[in-house]
Amino acid sequence: MEDIKQKIQELTDKLNEHNRRYYVNSDPIISDYQYDMMMKELEALEREYPQHKLPDSPTQRVGGFITSKFKQVKHEFPMISLANTYSQEEVTDFDNRLKKSIDGDFEYVCELKYDGLAISLIYENGILTHAITRGDGIVGDDVTANIKTIRTIPLKLVGDYPKNLCIRGEVIMPHSSFLKLNAEKEDAGDQTFANPRNAASGTIKLQNSKEVARRNLDFKPYSVISEESNTSNHYDSLREARKWGFKVSDFMAKCKNINEVFEFIDYWNAHRKELEFDTDGIVVKVNDFALQDELGSTAKVPRWAIAYKFKAEAALTELLSVAYQVGRIGTITPVANLAPVLLAGTTVKRASLHNADIIEELDLHEHDFVYVEKGGEIIPKITGVEVSKRREGSRKIEFPEYCPACSTKLVRNEGEAAHYCPNIKGCLPQIKGRIEHFISRKAMNISTMGEETVSLLVDKDLIKNIADIYTLEYEDLFGLEREFVDEDNNVVRTISLREKSTENLLHSIEESKSRAFYHVLYALGIRHIGETVSKKLTRYFKNIDNIINADFENLIACDEIGDIIAGGIIGYFSDEDNIEIVNRLKSYGLIFSVEDFSSGNNIDTSKLKIDLKDKNVVVSGVFKNFSRDGIKDFLDAAGAKVVSSISSKTDYVIAGENMGPAKLEKAKKLGITVLSEEEVF
Ligand code: IVH
């Protein structure tokens, strides 16, 4: 037993060390494969001996479901805010005030102001025990399980750390994670986040820490609170924190006077766009702790610090009209059409207004002059109205009560910001939107069809739903023609189905019948089911009937499926029309199952594209269409010798996703042919 305990301790320490090297210091010394193997070993031991699992175990980084709402925890020291200003004069005033109260010279520290959400981390004897949101500054939410998934936050400190320590900082979502998340949300028909800050705070409040882990948040420490500190100033305290395992920003500077502070401000005002995360200003702090104490705080903010906020690049322009777009799941998105204006190098003609609340908050009126800004999003947003330029008698912009496309009364679900058109089956943009989603690249990839052709086919009554696509015949299509114009009546595209293009279209429709199950499931356009979720579902349930027949409990038993996704699936299949569409698609020959050879004896080895008889084959990784055991059975039936490790005797490696890089390297070194799933089956 002692051995097991020691082994668990050893693996925990090693993995935490390698994690820090990889994520904090960017200096890994083992391969991903070795790391994964150690992790698997620890997971297995913890499963068998849960009593020995350590509080800093790295297995917590992958997350799980949180069963209850977050606990409320009181902050030991209140989390106060900062005085904000957009004016350099006010920063000079701040400096003058301090000079009056402080005898002699003093130093400032300048840091980036990270745009995320504040978190207070509590370490007891070097172990992370609590992570609490700011809340109202006095009491916050205990979000420890979610915070533990952030790789740059140490679960256990190293070096000479204080026994009782509080580290405060900002949880942020880097641009790369934000763009990926929003692309996935759009894919799944879900509302996207307006900016990385909202995405970070939305993520930290999730009840599913596995999902938090997947979203790749980061942490930027900005203050060290400890009574046992051996440093006398802020700058050194952050340097110390770096030694304990925190990823402290390199972008901070000690400044001897206010001119140096302005140099820092000017530098980052020009260069902030190059950062991989959002910063909305610079925080200027008195460096010396004793001076900080002497200056003290008002009820809300410290007297020893100030935040200078950058002005976003903005332009003033006229609102021409508001258009209401209907999405494929019926969401109504208001979009402002603007008089063209130059902003940060591009001409802006449109801006997203997101939802009715935003229009209301802006108190937008017809032909108002509005300020547009570019944030994290590609589409700019309206941040304010120049009321002094409002025309007399101009009317308030009212969100429509009825669908702009089909005139059905719109609905708004309790607690949701978006309005929906409930006429799912009769509303033209929704019908077209579903078909456009079905043919898109990640779905059925019917690349010769395109948005305009869909529009043409629906308008000509040739298709009404996704299943109708497979009934199209040459005679229906040949000779169809239409010109498409933009809002200024310029022809942007001409569709004209001649012999070749008709054949190409029918060919890609036919080709799509061999798309793997997970593409097909994704293509159905079920709410909240993006590509990743679709893969999880198809791997777990194996065929469509298992998914259709699954109840809520069965669905959430699948990895990463929570109640919202489960609700989307149940809602979709409880509609008889959808079942009929699936049945029709089945009858046209689309794939609705993951082939699993292990289940039957009637293995058809003629499907194999390569002769593997008497060959030594290694199967590694996760496969899209087959289970690994299924593949092994299949290869067995085809006369191959399936072996577990790569050696000079190996003839082929069949590699799925996530194959360990060390294995791949070994195969390359030995000159072994590595085949993908598609090359074999
Ligand atoms: S220091 C007592 N430093 O900005 C002073 N705050 O507007 C504590 N923030 O609540 C804050 N970057 O969430 C500090 N480098 C930085 C910061 C920073 C972002 C946030 C923090 C704070 C808010 C105040």
Side-chain angles (χ1 to χ4, degrees):
M1 223 20 153
E2 270 313 295
D3 281 0
I4 302 281
K5 223 173 131 181
Q6 209 178 334
K7 184 76 195 164
I8 289 180
Q9 175 85 57
E10 201 182 292
L11 283 167
T12 302
D13 289 350
K14 273 195 187 161
L15 281 160
N16 281 337
E17 161 75 13
H18 290 303
N19 179 79
R20 186 172 58 254
R21 278 185 165 273
Y22 188 94
Y23 289 99
V24 180
N25 306 344
S26 306
D27 175 28
I29 49 167
I30 60 167
S31 69
D32 295 2
Y33 179 72
Q34 284 169 304
Y35 184 89
D36 290 346
M37 289 300 121
M38 271 161 72
M39 192 67 142
K40 285 213 170 88
E41 194 180 348
L42 180 61
E43 273 166 0
L45 286 172
E46 286 179 352
R47 243 193 324 273
E48 202 167 338
Y49 306 98
Q51 70 273 29
H52 294 318
K53 181 170 170 168
L54 292 161
D56 60 327
S57 169
T59 57
Q60 301 166 91
R61 299 251 193 225
V62 292
F65 279 98
I66 294 162
T67 41
S68 58
K69 272 244 159 114
F70 303 115
K71 252 195 274 153
Q72 303 263 294
V73 181
K74 191 165 184 280
H75 293 290
E76 193 173 343
F77 312 96
M79 284 186 86
I80 52 175
S81 187
L82 288 171
N84 278 337
T85 177
Y86 285 93
S87 112
Q88 299 217 352
E89 280 96 77
E90 283 186 24
V91 178
T92 308
D93 292 347
F94 164 79
D95 179 52
N96 288 335
R97 268 199 311 277
L98 292 189
K99 277 193 205 137
K100 265 192 210 146
S101 346
I102 300 168
D103 291 332
D105 291 340
F106 61 94
E107 240 175 15
Y108 289 113
V109 174
C110 285
E111 288 165 20
L112 300 178
K113 188 171 190 308
Y114 313 106
D115 203 6
L117 77 149
I119 286 286
S120 186
L121 305 176
I122 309 298
Y123 287 85
E124 289 164 21
N125 295 313
I127 303 285
L128 173 64
T129 55
H130 296 283
I132 310 157
T133 62
R134 196 177 112 86
D136 62 2
I138 308 293
V139 176
D141 285 335
D142 185 329
V143 289
T144 315
N146 284 346
I147 286 295
K148 279 181 173 175
T149 68
I150 301 175
R151 302 283 175 161
T152 43
I153 293 182
L155 303 177
K156 185 181 185 179
L157 304 178
V158 290
D160 191 14
Y161 50 81
K163 293 223 161 2
N164 290 298
L165 172 70
C166 169
I167 294 277
R168 288 180 178 173
E170 202 85 348
V171 170
I172 56 149
M173 186 176 282
H175 293 150
S176 53
S177 314
F178 173 69
L179 293 173
K180 188 165 161 270
L181 177 63
N182 262 0
E184 282 174 7
K185 290 223 158 253
E186 210 164 314
D187 251 17
D190 288 341
Q191 185 107 31
T192 53
F193 285 110
N195 53 49
R197 178 180 7 95
N198 290 3
S201 71
T203 300
I204 279 304
K205 293 190 183 110
L206 289 174
Q207 300 283 312
N208 173 0
S209 57
K210 250 192 177 157
E211 178 60 16
V212 181
R214 222 180 52 75
R215 293 190 185 179
N216 288 323
L217 295 168
D218 198 357
F219 177 70
K220 303 282 178 190
Y222 57 63
S223 88
V224 180
I225 307 172
S226 163
E227 274 162 12
E228 308 145 57
S229 168
N230 51 12
T231 51
S232 63
N233 65 62
H234 174 65
Y235 191 85
D236 290 346
S237 75
L238 281 175
R239 292 232 143 176
E240 283 289 293
R242 189 176 281 162
K243 293 188 200 150
W244 304 329
F246 289 95
K247 192 173 139 198
V248 174
S249 172
D250 291 324
F251 307 134
M252 38 180 223
K254 283 196 268 194
C255 299
K256 283 198 277 308
N257 54 50
I258 202 69
N259 290 334
E260 287 187 13
V261 168
F262 286 128
E263 273 172 35
F264 191 89
I265 288 177
D266 291 343
Y267 178 84
W268 283 109
N269 195 15
H271 291 274
R272 68 194 160 108
K273 295 256 153 53
E274 295 155 25
L275 291 166
E276 56 179 22
F277 52 86
D278 276 2
T279 167
D280 56 343
I282 297 297
V283 184
V284 186
K285 301 174 179 175
V286 169
N287 192 17
D288 192 87
F289 282 148
L291 282 181
Q292 285 186 6
D293 281 348
E294 213 174 286
L295 291 161
S297 303
T298 69
K300 285 198 211 120
V301 295
R303 290 196 191 86
W304 46 265
I306 192 164
Y308 172 81
K309 300 247 282 185
F310 296 128
K311 279 189 225 49
E313 260 183 278
L316 190 64
T317 189
E318 189 187 351
L319 172 72
L320 301 178
S321 62
V322 178
Y324 296 89
Q325 293 173 349
V326 187
R328 78 170 155 92
I329 53 161
T331 321
I332 312 291
T333 310
V335 177
N337 290 315
L338 306 166
V341 64
L342 203 65
L343 176 62
T346 51
T347 306
V348 174
K349 282 196 214 164
R350 258 176 287 279
S352 171
L353 284 163
H354 286 284
N355 55 48
D357 290 345
I358 305 243
I359 296 178
E360 192 58 41
E361 253 167 55
L362 288 166
D363 187 30
L364 204 58
H365 282 55
E366 284 176 357
H367 293 282
D368 263 351
F369 277 80
V370 293
Y371 290 99
V372 276
E373 280 181 21
K374 274 197 176 164
E377 284 286 69
I378 298 131
I379 305 172
K381 61 174 183 197
I382 296 180
T383 53
V385 172
E386 185 52 65
V387 183
S388 66
K389 287 186 153 226
R390 181 169 290 162
R391 286 188 202 167
E392 217 172 292
S394 93
R395 280 195 313 227
K396 213 174 133 125
I397 301 281
E398 300 278 3
F399 203 87
E401 271 184 66
Y402 298 92
C403 175
C406 72
S407 305
T408 305
K409 195 164 170 58
L410 300 178
V411 291
R412 186 179 194 176
N413 296 334
E414 177 102 8
E416 279 185 30
H419 282 76
Y420 293 93
C421 165
N423 182 17
I424 300 171
K425 287 169 200 167
C427 179
L428 212 53
Q430 294 190 58
I431 295 172
K432 288 182 181 175
R434 279 195 297 274
I435 300 174
E436 279 160 19
H437 172 77
F438 184 80
I439 62 166
S440 66
R441 194 177 50 81
K442 285 199 240 162
M444 303 310 284
N445 195 26
I446 307 179
S447 55
T448 50
M449 198 175 259
E451 210 175 294
E452 287 93 359
T453 311
V454 170
S455 204
L456 183 58
L457 296 174
V458 173
D459 293 347
K460 294 262 180 214
D461 236 11
L462 287 165
I463 55 175
K464 290 192 193 65
N465 58 48
I466 54 178
D468 292 343
I469 294 175
Y470 295 93
T471 63
L472 289 169
E473 293 189 7
Y474 190 89
E475 297 73 46
D476 300 327
L477 301 168
F478 180 78
L480 287 180
E481 238 174 13
R482 187 186 285 176
E483 281 182 346
F484 288 85
V485 295
D486 65 9
E487 62 263 32
D488 304 323
N489 259 343
N490 299 315
V491 176
V492 282
R493 215 166 123 79
T494 313
I495 298 283
S496 164
L497 290 172
R498 305 262 153 259
E499 208 175 298
K500 190 85 196 127
S501 43
T502 308
E503 273 167 15
N504 284 346
L505 182 52
L506 287 168
H507 180 72
S508 49
I509 293 174
E510 196 55 33
E511 282 249 290
S512 74
K513 291 183 182 171
S514 59
R515 294 286 276 173
F517 181 28
Y518 78 91
H519 289 301
V520 181
L521 181 66
Y522 166 72
L524 295 179
I526 302 170
R527 275 189 87 172
H528 316 301
I529 301 205
E531 202 191 13
T532 320
V533 172
S534 180
K535 273 189 197 165
K536 297 264 170 209
L537 286 166
T538 53
R539 262 182 214 149
Y540 185 84
F541 287 101
K542 303 279 191 279
N543 64 48
I544 193 79
D545 294 323
N546 288 342
I547 299 177
I548 295 174
N549 297 328
D551 63 15
F552 186 80
E553 295 298 319
N554 302 144
L555 287 168
I556 60 169
C558 172
D559 196 19
E560 281 185 33
I561 307 301
D563 45 0
I564 294 178
I565 298 176
I569 298 170
I570 290 171
Y572 183 87
F573 291 115
S574 59
D575 184 333
E576 278 304 315
D577 289 351
N578 290 335
I579 299 280
E580 193 200 319
I581 284 183
V582 169
N583 286 336
R584 281 180 63 200
L585 292 173
K586 267 187 191 168
S587 74
Y588 301 136
L590 270 66
I591 298 173
F592 277 99
S593 64
V594 171
E595 281 196 54
D596 201 347
F597 308 113
S598 55
S599 51
N601 303 322
N602 46 349
I603 292 176
D604 177 10
T605 54
S606 66
K607 277 197 172 177
L608 223 51
K609 293 182 187 154
I610 293 177
D611 183 13
L612 294 175
K613 195 164 169 16
D614 296 329
K615 301 284 188 222
N616 282 311
V617 183
V618 172
V619 182
S620 179
V622 181
F623 295 86
K624 283 194 275 251
N625 302 320
F626 313 101
S627 71
R628 190 157 54 216
D629 287 342
I631 290 191
K632 286 182 181 167
D633 285 354
F634 189 93
L635 296 175
D636 221 29
K641 275 187 236 151
V642 184
V643 288
S644 56
S645 60
I646 299 175
S647 72
S648 54
K649 289 200 199 112
T650 312
D651 296 302
Y652 293 107
V653 173
I654 303 179
E657 279 174 33
N658 308 333
M659 174 176 165
K663 262 195 179 174
L664 204 59
E665 207 167 290
K666 189 165 179 191
K668 270 192 200 149
K669 260 197 200 138
L670 293 170
I672 299 164
T673 311
V674 179
L675 299 167
S676 70
E677 181 178 352
E678 287 80 10
E679 285 172 302
V680 182
F681 301 102

